[in-house]
Amino acid sequence: MPVLANIGCLATCAAAGGQGDVHLVRRAAVAWEGERLAWVGREEELPERWRRAERWDAGGGLVLPGLVDCHTHLVFGGWRTDEWVERLRGRSAFDIARSGGGIAATVARTRALDEEALFGRAAGFLEEMARLGVTTVEAKSGYGLEPEAELKLLRVHRRLSRETPLRVVSTFLGAHALPAEYAERAGDYVAMLVAELLPRVAAEGLADACDAWVEKGAFTTEQARRVLLAGRALGLGVRLHADQFTACGGARLAAELGALSADHLEAVPQEGIEALAGSGTVAVSLPTSALWMGLAPTPARALIAAGVPVAVATDFNPGTAPSYHLPLALTLACVLQRMTPAEAVKGATIHAARALGLEEAVGSLEPGKAADLALFDAASVEEWLYHFRPNACRLTVAGGHAVWRAGETKR
Ligand code: NIG
Ligand code: FE
């Protein structure tokens, strides 16, 4: 039962207060027992029993809850470097998708890999994410788009959660794109998802939530509603890829369904913001993806002003955000979305936990919650995100165990 002491600045990131209230504690210490936090506060107030415990020295650094990346497409085959270069030359993403590239290209590369190969790749990504201070990662299927391939991806999620030190939350995104086998038959595909695939996913306990992409060229609000209602009836949380390229009713649908989150929202209209206000749904912003696709950023200021909690995540995927660097996404949230560093930090801790329905378990440093935390070489939240460094994380603790210590490897 170690104590991490000599912390210069700790942000508990407890839910109370506004987006920017991260609840700072100066000269802090944190103690844990097994997998759970036991005490958090000013070091001079550390109870006697903890003073005799094993002491880890934070060197005056910044301690945050283990970061929560609440939106990734973690498990996929191959990359799309070729398409990126084509887009740089001026070809549009829609044009690339029309000729069989885009999501379809990744689907082919993902179907071609077996469970073991997909697991190995994703476990490698998770190891790198842990080095950045991330301890919880949401992962979406959606690159299988046929029953066996989707189940394969979801089984990889479950294995990642069991066999790596990080917490992996599994989301079923069968309604990501229409597979070629169902061209012009979106209704049949949706019917298959509802009647065949979702019941199997639920029966095997392979997903925590259900997601759908509402967009021109993907699925309509009607089709997404059918899938999400079926998922909800089977006990899954509801999430939505909403208003990414065009305003097509995604935010409104998320609010109507009482979704855990509405994600992207680069093109959300004012009426979508109004629908989200008071719905309890978290707006998940994905600034790396907006930057990569040249989209206007998610209007975080308008969402915050309307009282909507805003999370920040990477959207890690081979097409629109080939980066799992969550601290980089947080700096981009500041620069592009005009969020303060404190607001961004709350977006990758308690608000992100809430987007996953895990706000009672992770996302803040409070006794009883998971002993997930990260130590950064910075004097403050502001200094951490200002410097834009490759990696300022010195120590990551997940479930009470150190899973990364800077200096221990050759990197
Ligand atoms: O979140 N918007 C849809 N899906 C992904 C992109 C997937 C891909 O291009 O492979 C996203 O941006
Ligand atoms: Fe996404």
Side-chain angles (χ1 to χ4, degrees), residues 312-362:
V312 182
T314 61
D315 196 19
F316 176 49
N317 75 78
T320 67
S323 161
Y324 46 69
H325 202 304
L326 186 53
L328 168 65
L330 296 184
T331 295
L332 292 176
C334 299
V335 175
L336 301 176
Q337 299 174 182
R338 315 310 297 179
M339 291 172 79
T340 66
E343 288 173 335
V345 161
K346 206 148 175 185
T349 54
I350 194 67
H351 286 349
R354 182 168 157 193
L356 300 178
L358 287 179
E359 68 272 33
E360 301 299 327
V362 300

Side-chain angles (χ1 to χ4, degrees), residues 7-351:
I7 298 168
C9 177
L10 176 147
T12 73
C13 298
Q19 178 90 30
D21 291 321
V22 291
H23 309 285
L24 298 178
V25 184
R26 308 272 173 201
R27 286 183 288 283
V30 48
W32 60 95
E33 263 168 2
E35 294 180 352
R36 286 177 195 277
L37 296 173
W39 190 87
V40 182
R42 286 174 57 82
E43 185 169 350
E44 63 185 28
E45 290 163 17
L46 186 68
E48 188 53 35
R49 54 188 290 239
W50 297 109
R51 293 182 183 272
R52 294 186 301 269
E54 180 187 342
R55 189 176 190 275
W56 296 5
D57 192 326
L62 167 73
V63 168
L64 300 178
L67 302 177
V68 177
D69 194 342
C70 67
H71 181 138
T72 85
H73 304 250
L74 184 70
V75 183
F76 57 86
W79 294 97
R80 307 224 295 272
T81 318
D82 45 349
E83 285 181 12
W84 179 56
V85 176
E86 282 184 56
R87 284 204 299 108
L88 294 177
R89 293 201 170 109
R91 208 171 158 204
S92 79
F94 279 111
D95 192 41
I96 290 170
R98 254 199 309 276
S99 57
I103 292 174
T106 298
V107 167
R109 290 164 200 169
T110 304
R111 287 179 180 177
L113 295 188
D114 65 13
E115 192 178 309
E116 203 53 42
L118 289 166
F119 175 84
R121 276 172 62 98
F125 301 146
L126 286 179
E127 195 180 327
E128 298 281 328
M129 292 161 102
R131 292 172 183 199
L132 297 168
V134 176
T135 54
T136 297
V137 176
E138 184 256 13
K140 299 175 194 298
S141 68
Y143 287 128
L145 306 185
E146 65 186 6
E148 291 314 319
E150 283 293 307
L151 293 168
K152 175 177 70 176
L153 296 181
L154 296 169
R155 288 187 192 117
V156 170
H157 296 167
R158 285 299 187 230
R159 261 189 78 190
L160 290 167
S161 198
R162 277 199 307 272
E163 298 175 31
T164 76
L166 300 200
R167 189 183 297 254
V168 176
V169 177
S170 177
T171 299
F172 174 63
L173 179 57
H176 190 196
L178 193 61
E181 304 84 62
Y182 281 87
E184 312 294 329
R185 292 193 297 129
D188 292 348
Y189 182 65
V190 167
M192 184 280 285
L193 293 180
V194 168
E196 183 187 335
L197 193 44
L198 264 168
R200 287 181 70 186
V201 168
E204 276 195 55
L206 291 176
D208 306 294
C210 185
D211 195 341
W213 187 17
V214 173
E215 185 62 75
K216 289 197 180 78
F219 295 94
T220 64
T221 49
E222 260 320 302
Q223 292 161 344
R225 185 185 283 109
R226 283 187 62 199
V227 174
L228 297 173
L229 285 175
R232 192 167 74 180
L234 291 164
L236 303 181
V238 169
R239 333 221 16 211
L240 215 65
H241 276 69
D243 299 322
Q244 181 183 9
F245 292 102
T246 57
C248 36
R252 212 178 339 103
L253 179 61
E256 172 200 318
L257 297 176
L260 288 168
S261 71
D263 303 41
H264 278 287
L265 303 172
E266 289 90 341
V268 68
Q270 185 57 33
E271 55 129 2
I273 295 174
E274 282 159 19
L276 289 175
S279 69
T281 298
V282 176
V284 178
S285 65
L286 305 161
T288 312
S289 177
L291 175 75
W292 200 255
M293 299 309 286
L295 301 176
T298 301
R301 290 259 58 91
L303 288 158
I304 293 168
V308 181
V310 176
V312 182
T314 61
D315 196 19
F316 176 49
N317 75 78
T320 67
S323 161
Y324 46 69
H325 202 304
L326 186 53
L328 168 65
L330 296 184
T331 295
L332 292 176
C334 299
V335 175
L336 301 176
Q337 299 174 182
R338 315 310 297 179
M339 291 172 79
T340 66
E343 288 173 335
V345 161
K346 206 148 175 185
T349 54
I350 194 67
H351 286 349

